[in-house]
Amino acid sequence: MGIGGSDMYRQQILDHYKNPRNYGELEEATYTHVGENPMCGDTIEMDVVLDDAEETIERVAFRGDGCAISQASASMLSEQLAGMSVEELQEMDRDDVIDMLGVDISPMRVKCAVLAEKVAQDGAEIYFDELDVEKTTTEDDEE
């Protein structure tokens, strides 16, 4: 799988992969965005509901397909984002995601791990007219 770390964290990743939290669709989403990791074939589409002031994330749902790391990361992130401010989301980086996963991620798998974070961040930037892309991709990310 390309990960190292304690058995507890590996089991947590497998649990999130097999039993994803917040998997599905939110019809009343403030924004929806999709992204892919072409190297691994991962895809994630994320729905985000913001509060009335459009400052805080109220709910998140995702759907997608891909490796255990990408899908577990999306599941774990969907739990963390609820209650987080949009500003906090934008400040997240790959180290935050890797820390959340709790395992060492090989360089080849980092793009799998950060896909959901990038989809959520880009979706917010598109919603607030700060970015103009149709789809997020990890293709051009630096390792």
Side-chain angles (χ1 to χ4, degrees), residues 10-26:
R10 283 196 291 270
Q11 290 301 321
Q12 180 178 322
I13 287 170
L14 287 174
D15 181 49
H16 275 271
Y17 176 64
K18 292 178 181 178
N19 306 294
R21 284 37 155 211
N22 303 306
Y23 193 89
E25 193 170 343
L26 297 174

Side-chain angles (χ1 to χ4, degrees), residues 21-33 45-51 56-64 74 77-79 81-83 120:
R21 284 37 155 211
N22 303 306
Y23 193 89
E25 193 170 343
L26 297 174
E27 291 187 20
E28 70 281 1
T30 307
Y31 68 84
T32 299
H33 187 58
E45 186 169 5
M46 194 169 282
D47 297 330
V48 175
V49 175
L50 299 177
D51 67 352
T56 303
I57 298 167
E58 288 188 339
R59 292 189 326 206
V60 176
F62 80 97
R63 54 216 165 270
L77 186 65
S78 73
E79 290 184 315
L81 291 180

